[in-house]
Amino acid sequence: MAMKRLVPLMLLAALVPVMASAANGDERRFFDAAFDATVARYHLPGLALGVVEDGKVVYARAEGERIAGSSQRIDTQTIFKIASNSKAMTSALLARLVDQGKLKWDDPVTKYLPEFRMHDPWVTRNMQVRDLLIHNSGLPAGAGDLMLWPDPNLFTRADVIHGLRYLKPAYSFRSRYAYDNTLYIVAGEVAAKAGGASYETLLKREVFGPLGLQRCQIGAWNRDAVGNVAQPHARDGDRNVPVREDEAEIPDVPMAAAGGVRCSLDDMLKWTSMWLEPHRNGLANGKPWLSDAQRRAVWAPQTIMPVSSLMREWDNSHMFAYGYGWRMTDVDGVWKVSHTGTLAGMYSALTLLPDRHVGFVIMINGDADDARTVLNQALVKHYTAPQLGKTVADYADALDALAKKAAASVKPAKVEPRHRLANRGDHAIVSGRYRDPWLGDATICPDGDGLRFTALKSPKMTGLLHMSGTRAMVHWDDPTLDVDSWLDFAMAKGTTTLKMSKLDPQGDFSSDYEDLAFTRVAACPDQPPARAMHAR
């Protein structure tokens, strides 16, 4: 049925753009050219782009379809998932509470959440509210993300907070940067305790309402009652295919404070304008929405990040750091404050050049990592080094060349042809119910003539077992779970244990299988007694 809704590129190109622009002729031509080149190069199902200069929206354009093939046009009021751009809203909510005297950045987390525990008791005692926002906890990148994605799942925020105590650190506390999402969930619950209401209620009351973000959504809501909601897409050959489409009732999700906000382009441009011109566009009831002290706090570099060779080459960058929900760097001597957002089939970017009084928003409802990168780069350089005359095509060609070079230099992991693992009596020793302390229970049980892995609290994490050479693996049913996992069984003192790891070691860090440690706790229902054998 999804194939009937696929849209050819010519239909997308024929759609009339929605535009509200005050840019001069040359600027509008540049923005239009960048927009059109990005859509054409990456065959996007939909794109929304807005630019703010000196506190005014000078360009706002949206093209494409909410669902490929549906003829439902995207416009500047269409709601997109902003994913990790939600983090800046969470940090701003906390800053509002600091302004109100309801918490301090250096308060211990346990002051608000006595049940909070990290793996190391010393870290538990010394973790401050500020540490929740700056990716310096010592956890490996993406630790615990399988409690958040794929969604929807059956985890609660209490589950996420409880599970943190079982996540082992990879580094010492406050020693280095490693991106995480789970501690933003904790930050949202700290805000709820300090503010005396749920995270969702506070975000609506303290952020959406005062700033007039009328279409932004958080928590549970009805898709059709709100209307005009973009759906995510993946590429299938030369087509865009909807994936993970919303049900009519969109549920509250545990990852709300880390990446659960949805907004329209018009809303995000208001949000952008507030940060760029706080004394003109950042007022609530005639008073500053956020104090100058807290504006400085959220943009103060906290955790140093590595400057990549590409940043040095493209931007002449010298530093890179994370603040409270924002990344900061220098581009051609110009200060840049930004963040990106990525969920399956949805990409966003918000970039501010405060010294130039310029900001821009990119929102895409397709598989668009490179598209976001090159469009954002072309826009940044338009303001920091216009004399170079760089275009989307220039950066896209450069990115393609780098990818080709990287692919040639990396020896791919050897994965032998796989075949389905048959359900046989001598596999009874590895089939059964397994338990991990933070992901919970999973089963490896008969499914027809095969064996199926299912994570009970994350129903989308299900797939049939296969063999690749002498090694077992699980191939997920959901095609958006594009990182399959090895399954390595072992026997110790009569107990079967299971470790998992990514088939592709370079796969997305949110597929944090390596942090799991399963122990077999029971047999499958109606499973015959296990035969003594060597576990694969």
Side-chain angles (χ1 to χ4, degrees), residues 160-208:
V160 174
I161 293 172
H162 183 79
L164 283 167
R165 68 195 65 193
Y166 302 112
L167 294 172
K168 296 180 180 179
Y171 320 103
S172 58
F173 184 40
R174 296 178 181 153
S175 66
R176 57 165 289 170
Y177 169 87
Y179 193 85
D180 79 75
N181 291 293
T182 48
L183 290 178
Y184 266 82
I185 310 307
V186 181
E189 294 308 284
V190 167
K193 285 295 180 72
S198 70
Y199 170 79
E200 289 79 7
T201 296
L202 288 174
L203 201 67
K204 294 173 184 177
R205 187 179 77 199
E206 301 290 340
V207 180
F208 296 172

Side-chain angles (χ1 to χ4, degrees), residues 4 41 75 162 168 189 306 326 346 376 438 478 508:
K4 296 179 180 179
R41 179 81 174 234
D75 57 34
H162 183 79
K168 296 180 180 179
E189 294 308 284
W326 297 92
M346 283 271 185
N376 196 68
W438 59 271
D478 187 335
D508 188 278

Side-chain angles (χ1 to χ4, degrees), residues 370-387:
D370 286 357
R372 177 181 61 187
T373 297
V374 300
L375 178 55
N376 196 68
Q377 185 67 19
L379 292 167
V380 168
K381 300 299 271 194
H382 175 69
Y383 291 100
T384 66
Q387 72 279 5

Side-chain angles (χ1 to χ4, degrees), residues 200-450:
E200 289 79 7
T201 296
L202 288 174
L203 201 67
K204 294 173 184 177
R205 187 179 77 199
E206 301 290 340
V207 180
F208 296 172
L211 297 178
L213 309 184
Q214 297 176 352
R215 295 275 294 161
C216 287
Q217 300 294 321
I218 191 66
W221 48 286
N222 182 277
R223 178 200 62 201
D224 299 327
V226 172
N228 197 358
V229 182
Q231 298 300 310
H233 293 77
R235 292 292 290 174
D236 180 13
D238 61 351
R239 303 174 185 273
N240 291 304
V241 181
V243 295
R244 296 197 186 178
E245 294 179 76
D246 291 320
E247 300 291 339
E249 295 297 328
I250 295 171
D252 193 5
V253 290
M255 61 90 170
V261 176
R262 303 198 202 189
C263 291
S264 70
L265 178 63
D266 286 344
D267 289 324
M268 292 302 290
L269 291 173
K270 290 178 184 177
W271 177 244
T272 300
S273 298
M274 182 276 296
W275 287 107
L276 291 171
E277 298 291 339
H279 299 290
R280 186 195 315 175
N281 299 320
L283 302 178
N285 298 321
K287 299 178 180 179
W289 179 76
L290 202 62
S291 68
D292 288 344
Q294 293 313 312
R295 289 178 185 277
R296 289 192 296 269
V298 297
W299 282 1
Q302 300 287 339
T303 304
I304 299 301
M305 302 165 65
V307 178
S308 69
S309 57
L310 193 62
M311 292 173 67
R312 295 184 190 278
E313 178 185 346
W314 281 9
D315 294 337
N316 192 32
S317 297
H318 299 83
M319 68 81 62
F320 195 23
Y322 205 95
Y324 297 160
W326 297 92
R327 301 183 182 109
M328 288 144 286
T329 188
D330 60 309
V331 179
D332 304 316
V334 177
W335 190 237
K336 184 177 88 168
V337 181
S338 65
H339 214 288
T340 54
T342 304
L343 285 170
M346 283 271 185
Y347 285 76
S348 69
L350 194 165
T351 302
L352 307 173
L353 303 174
D355 297 339
R356 295 286 196 268
H357 303 281
V358 167
F360 35 89
V361 176
I362 298 168
M363 305 169 83
I364 305 170
N365 65 329
D367 188 7
D369 193 3
D370 286 357
R372 177 181 61 187
T373 297
V374 300
L375 178 55
N376 196 68
Q377 185 67 19
L379 292 167
V380 168
K381 300 299 271 194
H382 175 69
Y383 291 100
T384 66
Q387 72 279 5
L388 298 179
K390 292 284 190 178
T391 66
V392 161
D394 293 326
Y395 290 112
D397 290 344
L399 211 58
D400 287 349
L402 287 170
K404 186 176 181 181
K405 182 179 179 181
S409 64
V410 175
K411 186 177 181 180
K414 185 178 180 181
V415 178
E416 298 183 33
R418 70 171 188 251
H419 60 275
R420 184 178 297 183
L421 182 61
N423 174 27
R424 302 199 313 257
D426 61 353
H427 288 150
I429 197 168
V430 298
S431 62
R433 190 180 186 103
Y434 286 78
R435 182 164 296 153
D436 174 81
W438 59 271
L439 191 68
D441 283 10
T443 58
I444 297 176
C445 290
D447 181 0
D449 60 355

